[in-house]
Amino acid sequence: MSSEERIDPWGRPDIKDYRRLYEVFGIRPFSEILEKLKSMGVEPSAFMRRGIIFGHRDMDVVLNAWASGEPVAVVTGFMPSGQFHFGHMLTGLQLVFYQRLGFRVFVCMADAEAYAVRRVSREEAIKSALEEFIPNLLALGLDPQRTEFYFQTGREGPYHELIQLFSAKVTFNEMEAIYGDLSPAKVMSALTQAADILHPMLKEYGGYKYVVVPVGADQDPHIRLSRDIATRMKGEIELTPPAATYHKLIRGLDGGKMSKSRPEATIFLTEPIGEAVRKFKASLTGGRNTAEEQRRLGGEPDKCPVFDQYLYYLVPDDSELSSIESRCRGGALLCGQCKAMGAEKLAKFLEAHQRSLEAYRDKAQSLVELPKY
C-alpha cells in the first residue's frame, strides 16, 4: 500500500480506497453478510446497510455459532483520554446492536495503552473513563447489567499471564512487518491488545469460544496479530481466531481527522449544544463555490463532512437520507439550507443524549474494578 494508506493503529490513516484493503490484507466485503443476517431474521443496522461497516473476518462463523445457540461475545476497547466524541460513538452503537442480539459485551478501558503510547497520566485516563466513556456508552443504550467494563491495569485473573505467554509466540521481525516502526511501549501495547481480544475465551471470563471485534480499519494490525497468536497457542490454550468487522472512519468537520486534539473539527457528546451547533454550521461542505454554480452542477455529498453526519448518525431513515443526497446532487438543496437542517437535527440529538447521560454519570464507578496502583 502507499504511505498514505499504511495502516497504523496508533495514528490515523487517510485511506482513499477501502476496497484496496480486500486485496492487500484479505479483509472480506461485509456485503456478503447482509443477506445472511436477513435470512436469520436480523435487520442489518444502518451502518451495515449504508456500507459504513465495509469488511469482516469470519463474521459468518460467529453468526453461525450464534444461530446454533452457542455463547458469543463482542469485544472492543477505548483509549480513555479527553471527551467522548462522534468518532467513538460509531463503535458504541455497534456494541448496542450486538448486545440486543444476545452477545455478551466486553469493553476495555485501555489505560495501560494510553499511559505507554499516548503519555496520558493514570489519573487522567481513569477520570476520563469514569466521567466520559462509560457514562456515554450507557447513555447510547448499553445495558450495564450485561456489559463487562474493565481497565487494562485493573483486570483480575489470568489476563496478564496471557500477555507473557503471547510474547513467546511472535518474533520482533513479524511484529515489525505488521506494525512498522515499533518501540517497547508499542510492543507491550500490541500484546496487551491481543489479551484484550482473546481473554474472554478463557473459562475464567465466561469461555466464549466465538468473539467478534468491531474496529475501524486502522486497528486491523491488532486483529491480525491476535488471529496469528490464537492459532499458535494450539495445544497449550484452546483459543479461536477472533472475528472482526471493519468500519470507515468518520471525517472531522474540516474534512480531516475527528479527534480530541482537533476540537474545532470534532463534535463532543458532552459539550454545550450551542458550541456544537456553531462548529457544525462552520463545517466544510461538498458544495460549489457559488449558489449559482451549485444549482447548475449540484453538490458532492460524498466529499461533504455535513453529509457524513447525516450518513452516520443524524438521519436514521434511509428514504430521508436518499432524498437529501438526491436534492444535493441535483442542486436543489444549497449548503446553507442543508447546514440549518442539520444543525437542528444535531441539537435535538444532543439534547436527548445529554438528558439520558445524567442518569449514568454517577454509576460508572460501581460498574468497573478500579486499578489498585
Side-chain angles (χ1 to χ4, degrees):
M1 302 187 76
S2 66
S3 60
E4 69 180 7
E5 292 177 314
R6 183 175 293 117
I7 292 182
D8 177 4
W10 296 291
R12 177 68 186 261
D14 183 16
I15 299 174
K16 302 299 185 184
D17 185 358
Y18 282 90
R19 292 171 299 181
R20 290 204 63 204
L21 303 185
Y22 304 145
E23 304 165 14
V24 178
F25 295 113
I27 294 172
R28 291 160 57 190
F30 194 84
S31 56
E32 65 187 26
I33 297 296
L34 292 177
E35 289 305 316
K36 186 174 186 67
L37 284 168
K38 293 176 182 177
S39 72
M40 294 176 166
V42 176
E43 177 61 32
S45 71
F47 301 134
M48 296 171 177
R49 296 193 307 271
R50 297 175 180 181
I52 295 167
I53 298 175
F54 71 91
H56 79 101
R57 295 187 193 273
D58 288 350
M59 189 60 189
D60 50 336
V61 175
V62 170
L63 288 174
N64 287 336
W66 171 76
S68 65
E70 296 192 53
V72 293
V74 55
V75 179
T76 198
F78 297 90
M79 192 181 297
S81 172
Q83 294 174 275
F84 192 93
H85 57 68
F86 267 29
H88 301 121
M89 188 163 66
L90 173 54
T91 303
L93 290 173
Q94 289 180 72
L95 296 177
V96 174
F97 175 86
Y98 291 118
Q99 186 174 74
R100 289 173 179 170
L101 293 182
F103 288 38
R104 178 66 175 178
V105 176
F106 291 81
V107 181
C108 165
M109 293 290 113
D111 61 318
E113 182 179 20
Y115 178 81
V117 178
R118 300 295 189 203
R119 298 296 189 261
V120 175
S121 72
R122 301 285 306 289
E123 294 79 5
E124 180 185 346
I126 293 170
K127 183 175 186 289
S128 180
L130 296 179
E131 295 182 2
E132 282 282 334
F133 283 79
I134 295 176
N136 273 291
L137 289 166
L138 296 174
L140 288 174
L142 276 183
D143 182 346
Q145 302 307 315
R146 295 188 294 141
T147 305
E148 191 161 339
F149 294 100
Y150 70 93
F151 286 95
Q152 288 175 322
T153 60
R155 195 60 160 155
E156 300 288 346
Y159 165 86
H160 294 281
E161 294 172 29
L162 288 180
I163 301 171
Q164 309 306 315
L165 297 175
F166 291 170
S167 69
K169 298 301 178 181
V170 61
T171 69
F172 190 78
N173 286 341
E174 287 175 319
M175 292 195 71
E176 278 193 320
I178 295 173
Y179 291 97
D181 292 336
L182 286 172
S183 65
K186 288 182 177 180
V187 171
M188 281 302 300
S189 178
L191 294 171
T192 302
Q193 292 250 9
D196 290 322
I197 291 168
L198 296 171
H199 84 282
M201 298 180 188
L202 303 183
K203 67 180 187 299
E204 290 87 348
Y205 304 103
Y208 295 92
K209 182 179 178 182
Y210 299 96
V211 168
V212 61
V213 191
V215 292
D218 57 332
Q219 299 300 302
D220 184 53
H222 295 318
I223 302 299
R224 283 184 276 132
L225 177 67
S226 299
R227 288 172 62 86
D228 287 346
I229 287 174
T231 300
R232 295 173 188 183
M233 292 300 301
K234 188 174 182 179
E236 299 179 52
I237 304 174
E238 289 307 311
L239 301 172
T240 304
T245 64
Y246 299 92
H247 55 257
K248 298 176 182 178
L249 304 172
I250 191 169
R251 285 176 291 198
L253 298 176
D254 62 357
K257 299 178 181 180
M258 183 168 283
S259 166
K260 71 177 182 66
S261 64
R262 304 176 69 250
E264 281 298 307
T266 302
I267 297 173
F268 300 99
L269 273 70
T270 53
E271 70 181 324
I273 294 170
E275 179 67 5
V277 167
R278 179 194 65 77
K279 290 190 290 187
F280 183 89
K281 288 183 174 180
S283 175
L284 183 72
T285 72
R288 307 292 179 173
N289 292 328
T290 67
E292 185 280 328
E293 187 178 352
Q294 177 137 344
R295 290 189 181 97
R296 179 166 51 86
L297 299 177
E300 298 178 287
D302 52 312
K303 298 180 180 179
C304 180
V306 170
F307 187 78
D308 272 10
Q309 311 309 313
Y310 294 153
L311 179 69
Y312 281 69
Y313 305 125
L314 298 182
V315 182
D317 182 80
D318 287 349
S319 60
E320 182 183 358
L321 182 71
S322 178
S323 174
I324 292 171
E325 181 177 8
S326 177
R327 289 160 57 207
C328 173
R329 291 190 186 279
L333 180 63
L334 300 181
C335 294
Q337 298 169 316
C338 187
K339 283 185 177 181
M341 176 176 63
E344 183 177 346
K345 291 179 180 294
L346 175 63
K348 287 181 178 178
F349 169 79
L350 290 176
E351 286 168 5
H353 179 79
Q354 291 178 10
R355 282 197 303 271
S356 177
L357 185 63
E358 289 305 311
Y360 297 107
R361 283 195 179 278
D362 298 327
K363 292 186 178 180
Q365 191 159 333
S366 67
L367 298 174
V368 61
E369 186 75 21
L370 295 181
K372 292 183 173 61
Y373 301 101

